[in-house]
């Protein structure tokens, strides 16, 4: 397992190097001891802090206000080392040295990232100075990464201010401990609400803070175990989320509201908005994991904004009072150092930052001392790795160290500071240190009332009623049991059927002259895109989740690109070919490369934006209170708006390309001209996109969006495939009686003429086949309609037959026809004309030279005969020049391809 984890570390470290995060070690700092006996052995502990923020930077706090906290952490940790090196009782034969390691690279972001943390961990563990333990300041999920890495490498890590509840999981983080509390307030809140007989609560948490997320999750799990109804469970990312959340709280008549958030954050703005909506009153009780004070609060007790904080219930770890003698002695020790170097120590007394650093390092060194006493070992043996398995969190649970936060410092079974929980209500005097608890939650989890009473908003001390249980609003979820869900499924099934049938038709009939202009490759990809768009409709069913939200977007937008881009490329290709002024072979390769580059570029941009959105953005389900019910819908927060706008702009640009290509290709030959369908598809896209982005959040909004998606997805089958299918099956219905009548109309005399033509005889080039006589064997071999192509003519025609010496017979009568058919037989073409019931067949000789002439509304079809004899000539006459030109073009396409 360790070797596998080391492989992972190597991969992560390579990622960090790619991010230019190199050599995090600031330096090794050997320490001195005034006690000669301590100079026998040395051990090293590492300080992992954001040294890049303040180390060797004059007036660092002027550049970064947070630098003051990090400077205090470093100074406190170093002071703990100095104190131990001066204590003959603790580690009596050992001097402690310091390795400083920078764990934040601000050129990348607010933390070092996963890859950077891997580099820091490896540099720390495998440093030549044999580091034995780590004191680290890490943030959010990087705390989990650091604790996990050091636990795998069996190196103890202490946190002075990390409160993430997940770090209490000793199965995953056995070598991590902390001298502060875990933000696991589930048990205290559960016991408190049970004392007040509260069975209905609403919860809201800061979705940008992982500690708050974990804290609320722990509380909700505890409440579920006690059958407390959580009326509404919401999170916010920005202030724009507040109104919808508070409106829902009012809708469910929430009287007890639990807020999980940090102090000096948006939590105060939420409370201020709640006050405006009537949710801060004597009938409402707010319980918060941290006091929701304004972000710019300077600590003044006279700030009038703090009035709405009155009555908020806060849990606090019951740390040592500031009047305790040990606390006073340690604070005087710090103050003495501060007076010598005010810039280094920053403040004259203890606070959360320097307390954590001092207690962490002191607890760790006292723990090393206890292990050495039990093992009767030297520090060298401990540092050599033989006793690493003993350095788990429980080795530091009771070291005898008399700490600042706790005296003595003790840890529970989860490696967290073991202290009772004090429950207070904030009064007009803000500072928590001046608040008197009204109850305690003991170390064993028992509720202990105190002599004070809770003081709720408005001055009351009796918990208000939690409200009637009947006010719980319903949550609408679209599934197969709802009419909307059933309609979505029906639309999806119809869409799948249309697209799949169209795909089968295009592929099976790809060689047919009517279907061939569709281009089987382009059309198949376009239909697959339609199928992907229809698939996005499925993700509107069931309860919305982050996975379903992103799945909608991926299948919809990628499918839209696959549907439209092939149509754009095919028609742009035809326009370039038909408008080419040079030989086609010269430009064909260039056009193909341009199309490939265009397609790849658009798809890569779309996929890149979607990937960035999925990683950096926030597209999550959100509850909306609409007409007395809750509707859960995917919502894009402010951070994701940029991605959404880029995707929308990209898709609208693709639609614009549709219109541009449609205009450019309007003069392409009718057989390949798709200008009108492209314009229609573009209009459908514009209309459906406009409607989709403007639908209000209602119970039927998912169905409305699915209808828009469905209309767009099935447009290509109906606009492009359906006309070709109608033309194809129209040919079959026209050719079937034509072929049957031609089979029954071939006589033995005509058969002899056909045989002469097959053997190169000197018969004339065309014959009228009478409608009588016995059918011949050759006639029975007339190909089926799949080898024939019909051309709509609706014209009159006259046939000029050869007599002798090149003289044509002009006595033929004008006949009316609707269709001209070209068939293949024995790799030769036949021209079939069917006026009334008689079929006239003409074999097109290989030696014939076909020529099409246009004179007004007349088209002449001339076939030269063999051996110097002039062949037959057919004159077609149409009502208009336009019909004549169209017939000429279609006939030319068939004859010369």
């Amino acid at each position: 397992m360790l070797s596998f984890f080391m492989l992972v570390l190597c991969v992560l470290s390579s990622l960090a190097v790619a991010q230019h995060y190199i050599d995090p070690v600031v330096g090794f700092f050997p320490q001195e001891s005034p006690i000669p006996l301590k100079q026998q052995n040395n051990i090293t502990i590492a300080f992992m802090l954001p040294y890049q923020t303040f180390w060797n930077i004059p007036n660092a706090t002027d550049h970064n206000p947070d630098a003051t906290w990090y400077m205090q952490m470093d100074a406190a940790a170093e002071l703990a080392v100095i104190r131990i090196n001066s204590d003959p009782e603790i580690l009596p034969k050992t001097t402690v040295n310091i390795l400083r390691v920078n764990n934040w690279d601000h050129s990348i972001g607010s933390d070092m990232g996963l890859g950077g943390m891997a580099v820091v961990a490896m540099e720390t563990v495998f440093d030549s100075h044999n580091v034995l333990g780590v004191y680290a300041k890490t943030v959010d999920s990087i705390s989990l990464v650091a604790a996990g890495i050091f636990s795998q490498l069996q190196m103890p890590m202490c946190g002075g201010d990390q409160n993430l509840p997940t770090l209490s999981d000793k199965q995953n983080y056995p070598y991590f401990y902390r001298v502060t509390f875990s933000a696991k307030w589930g048990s205290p809140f559960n016991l408190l609400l049970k004392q007040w007989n509260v069975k209905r609560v609403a919860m809201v948490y800061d979705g940008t803070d992982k500690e708050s997320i974990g804290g609320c999750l722990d509380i909700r799990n505890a409440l579920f175990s006690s059958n407390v109804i959580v009326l509404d469970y919401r999170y916010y990312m920005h202030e724009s989320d507040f109104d919808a959340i508070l409106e829902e709280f009012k809708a469910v008549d929430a009287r007890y509201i639990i807020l999980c958030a940090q102090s000096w954050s948006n939590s105060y703005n939420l409370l201020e908005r709640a006050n405006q909506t009537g949710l801060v009153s004597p009938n409402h009780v707010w319980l918060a994991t941290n006091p929701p004070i304004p972000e710019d609060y300077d600590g003044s007790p006279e700030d009038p904004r703090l009035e709405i904080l009155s009555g908020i219930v806060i849990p606090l770890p019951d740390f040592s009072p500031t009047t305790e003698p040990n606390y006073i002695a340690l604070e005087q020790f710090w103050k003495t150092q501060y007076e010598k170097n005010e810039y280094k120590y920053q403040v004259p007394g203890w606070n959360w930052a320097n307390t954590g650093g001092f207690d962490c390092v002191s607890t760790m060194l006292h723990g090393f001392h206890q292990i050495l006493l039990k093992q009767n070992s030297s520090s060298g043996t401990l540092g050599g790795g033989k006793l690493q398995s003993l350095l788990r969190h429980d080795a530091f649970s009771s070291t005898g160290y008399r700490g600042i936060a706790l005296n003595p410092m003790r840890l529970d079974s989860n490696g967290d500071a073991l202290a009772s929980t004090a429950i207070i209500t904030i009064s007009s005097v803000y500072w928590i240190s001046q608040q008197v608890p009204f109850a305690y939650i003991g170390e064993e989890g028992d509720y202990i009332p105190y002599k004070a009473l809770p003081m709720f908003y408005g001055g009351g001390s009796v918990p208000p009623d939690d409200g009637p249980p009947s006010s719980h609003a319903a949550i609408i979820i679209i599934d197969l049991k709802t009419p909307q869900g059933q309609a979505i499924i029906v639309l999806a099934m119809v869409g799948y059927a249309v697209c799949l049938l169209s795909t089968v038709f295009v592929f099976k009939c790809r060689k047919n002259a009517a279907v061939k202009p569709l281009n089987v490759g382009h059309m198949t990809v376009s239909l697959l895109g339609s199928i992907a768009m229809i698939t996005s409709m499925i993700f509107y069913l069931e309860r919305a989740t982050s996975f379903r939200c992103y799945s909608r977007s991926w299948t919809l937008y990628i499918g839209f690109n696959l549907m439209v881009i092939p149509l754009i490329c095919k028609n742009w290709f035809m326009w370039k070919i038909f408008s080419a002024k040079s030989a086609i072979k010269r430009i064909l390769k260039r056009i193909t490369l341009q199309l490939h580059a265009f397609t790849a570029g658009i798809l890569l941009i779309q996929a890149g934006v979607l990937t960035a959105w999925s990683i950096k953005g926030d597209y999550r389900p959100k509850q909306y209170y609409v007409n007395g019910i809750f509707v859960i819908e995917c919502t894009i927060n402010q951070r994701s708006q940029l991605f959404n706008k880029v995707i929308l702009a990209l898709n609208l640009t693709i639609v614009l390309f549709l219109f541009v290509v449609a205009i450019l290709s309007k003069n392409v030959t009718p057989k390949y001209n798709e200008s009108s369908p492209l314009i229609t598809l573009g209009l459908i896209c514009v209309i459906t996109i406009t409607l989709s982005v403007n639908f209000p959040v209602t119970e039927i909004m998912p169905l409305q969006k699915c209808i828009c998606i469905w209309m767009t997805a099935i447009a290509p089958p109906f606009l492009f495939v359906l006309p070709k299918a109608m033309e194809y099956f129209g040919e079959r219905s026209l050719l079937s009686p034509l072929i049957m009548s031609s089979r029954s109309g071939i006589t033995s005399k005509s058969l002899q003429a056909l045989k002469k033509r097959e053997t190169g005889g000197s018969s004339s080039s065309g014959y009228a086949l009478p409608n009588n006589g016995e059918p011949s064997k050759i006639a029975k071999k007339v190909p089926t309609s799949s080898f024939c192509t019909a051309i709509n003519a609706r014209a009159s025609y006259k046939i000029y037959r050869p007599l002798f010496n090149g003289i044509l017979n002009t006595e033929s009568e004008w006949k009316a026809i609707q269709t001209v058919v070209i068939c293949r037989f024995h790799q030769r073409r036949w021209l079939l004309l069917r006026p009334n019931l008689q079929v006239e067949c003409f074999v097109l000789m290989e030696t014939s030279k076909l020529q099409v002439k246009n004179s007004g509304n007349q088209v002449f079809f001339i076939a030269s005969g063999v051996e110097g004899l002039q062949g037959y000539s057919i004159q077609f006459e149409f009502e208009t020049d336009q019909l004549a030109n169209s017939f000429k073009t279609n006939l030319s396409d068939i004859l010369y391809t």
Side-chain angles (χ1 to χ4, degrees), residues 114-131:
L114 182 59
M117 187 66 247
V119 172
V120 171
M122 295 179 70
E123 290 286 342
T124 302
V125 173
F126 299 109
D127 186 83
S128 59
H129 296 93
N130 296 320
V131 174

Side-chain angles (χ1 to χ4, degrees), residues 79-142:
L79 189 61
V81 171
I82 294 173
R83 184 169 180 260
I84 293 297
N85 285 336
S86 302
D87 189 339
E89 302 295 329
I90 306 301
L91 297 174
K93 298 181 181 181
T94 304
T95 299
V96 182
N97 298 316
I98 298 172
L99 180 74
R100 286 184 167 92
V101 183
N102 177 45
N103 68 346
W104 286 14
D105 187 346
H106 289 275
S107 65
I108 298 175
S110 59
D111 56 53
M112 83 297 294
L114 182 59
M117 187 66 247
V119 172
V120 171
M122 295 179 70
E123 290 286 342
T124 302
V125 173
F126 299 109
D127 186 83
S128 59
H129 296 93
N130 296 320
V131 174
L132 196 58
V134 177
Y135 159 61
K137 163 61 180 175
T138 52
V139 294
D140 293 337
S141 58
I142 300 302

